[in-house]
Amino acid sequence: MTECEKPLTRSEQKRLDVLIAAVTLFSEEGFQSTSMDMIAAEAEVSKRTVYNHFPSKEALFKEILKDLISRIRNATEIPYQANLSLKSQLQMVALNEVELLKDECFIQLSRVCIAESIHAPELVANEFDQVNSSNFGFGLWVKAAIKDKKLIDEDPMLMVQQFIGLLKEVFFWPQIFLGEAMPDEQRIKTIVDRTVNMFLSGYQNKE
């Protein structure tokens, strides 16, 4: 924690401890098999403390999902800058995304949410719709580039999904399902450059 960061209150720290405990247990035991008693024991707090912060296990899970979505938003949030090349801006988006996908906490959160999207899709449906939206993060950048006539006027959501999907194919899914290590920095740079070039070859306005 840096000097400029505000220290957590005791209540805030306990809330954070509960969230960390829940992520650990949901990841190891699954959502359905994890009880609030187990979460309280893992967090080393009373069950009453858990319920003071989260009225139900579902509410606790949705808070974890909210954190995951916040991380995705922050990683892909980039203002469109007409004076900079599309390539340099796309490289920045891609590298920010890769940094997010390298984060162990993000990977753990993702595993939990993906598992529950299969077993209890109603828990994640609305929130995952936000992730696929073209109205935040990289989607807003794409819309701004279209408006500036730098990208062709196509489906912004599809464009976002294709660009991020190319990155996840290499940097995310192998980690999630196969436990593979991230490529080295040189390989990352090569893949990012090729991903950006593929996107621009299909969507850059040539007029």
Side-chain angles (χ1 to χ4, degrees):
M1 183 170 63
T2 62
E3 292 182 358
C4 63
E5 290 179 320
K6 182 181 178 181
L8 296 177
T9 65
R10 185 177 180 182
S11 177
E12 289 169 340
Q13 183 61 57
K14 286 186 175 183
R15 183 179 187 277
L16 179 59
D17 291 341
V18 170
L19 283 169
I20 293 171
V23 170
T24 299
L25 290 171
F26 290 162
S27 178
E28 293 176 354
E29 307 292 337
F31 176 80
Q32 298 300 332
S33 298
T34 299
S35 68
M36 294 293 257
D37 285 323
M38 293 167 64
I39 293 170
E42 179 73 19
E44 298 182 349
V45 299
S46 68
K47 189 163 75 169
R48 180 177 180 179
T49 296
V50 176
Y51 279 107
N52 282 342
H53 291 289
F54 304 100
S56 67
K57 189 169 66 169
E58 289 73 18
L60 181 48
F61 180 81
K62 284 185 177 293
E63 188 65 24
I64 292 170
L65 191 56
K66 180 180 175 182
D67 181 47
L68 182 71
I69 293 171
S70 177
R71 288 168 185 262
I72 295 172
R73 284 179 185 270
N74 292 337
T76 59
E77 199 79 47
I78 177 173
Y80 175 74
Q81 300 181 70
N83 60 320
L84 296 180
S85 70
L86 293 182
K87 184 170 184 175
S88 65
Q89 293 180 74
L90 285 168
Q91 286 174 329
M92 189 181 305
V93 171
L95 290 173
N96 286 346
E97 181 75 8
V98 171
E99 284 302 309
L100 175 66
L101 301 180
K102 288 165 65 176
D103 185 88
E104 283 299 323
C105 183
F106 177 80
I107 293 299
Q108 190 178 27
L109 286 171
S110 297
R111 287 195 177 110
V112 170
C113 293
I114 289 169
E116 292 318 307
S117 72
I118 297 171
H119 299 300
E122 69 281 358
L123 278 177
V124 300
N126 292 335
E127 283 76 7
F128 272 178
D129 283 345
Q130 296 181 49
V131 178
N132 292 325
S133 172
S134 63
N135 292 317
F136 72 87
F138 183 47
L140 292 177
W141 184 93
V142 168
K143 287 183 174 181
I146 291 173
K147 185 176 181 180
D148 196 31
K149 302 189 184 304
K150 296 292 181 63
L151 295 177
I152 61 176
D153 192 358
E154 290 284 347
D155 181 349
M157 183 179 292
L158 177 62
M159 295 163 76
V160 170
Q161 290 173 333
Q162 288 183 330
F163 185 75
I164 301 299
L166 286 170
L167 296 171
K168 285 187 172 181
E169 184 67 27
V170 178
F171 300 118
F172 182 69
W173 297 117
Q175 285 192 85
I176 290 291
F177 293 116
L178 302 176
E180 292 185 3
M182 287 288 287
D184 60 36
E185 292 303 317
Q186 184 55 49
R187 180 69 174 158
I188 288 173
K189 183 179 183 305
T190 299
I191 294 169
V192 165
D193 285 344
R194 289 178 179 174
T195 300
V196 169
N197 290 338
M198 287 176 65
F199 182 86
L200 290 176
S201 69
Y203 292 115
Q204 188 168 18
N205 194 341
K206 306 298 194 302
E207 295 180 359

